[in-house]
Amino acid sequence: FLYKDFGTCQVNACYVNNTTLVARKVQEHFVDGDKLVLKATGHRHDGTTAEADIVLAEFTEAKDSVMYNWSVFDLSKLGAVDYVDFKVSSTNPEVPGYFCLDGLLAGIKVEF
């Protein structure tokens, strides 16, 4: 957030999706119990952080799910932030940590 010294940035949401490569690798390599999760970590100038997660793919006995369409990733619980880190984690090393992000929605308040 460029103007962090003069105001706040409240990140509300964004759209996320798997890349075609990731979706294909999930279908090829995931087995029961595998999961692909995107974690957003909001950082503040005082060192505090907050996190939000969304599952991009999950294979279980009950269901196999892979995100193929744009989905809303609710980031409102991050609160006011200076910046946000995104990290993809997978239980299967054959699946790369890529994802697509679009339409980041934030409220910015700047005071001089």
Side-chain angles (χ1 to χ4, degrees), residues 8-16 39-44 49-54 72-84 86 103-107:
T8 58
C9 178
Q10 171 77 38
V11 182
N12 297 316
C14 64
Y15 287 97
V16 294
K39 180 179 295 238
T41 305
H43 298 270
R44 297 180 192 94
T49 60
E51 296 178 338
D53 296 338
I54 189 168
V72 175
F73 185 9
D74 181 6
L75 300 171
S76 60
K77 69 181 190 178
L78 298 181
V81 297
D82 295 326
Y83 65 96
V84 179
F86 292 93
L104 183 68
L105 177 63

Side-chain angles (χ1 to χ4, degrees), residues 55-72:
V55 176
L56 299 174
E58 182 175 21
F59 278 33
T60 64
E61 267 187 42
K63 70 174 185 173
D64 293 346
S65 66
V66 181
M67 188 181 294
Y68 290 109
N69 297 307
W70 290 102
S71 298
V72 175

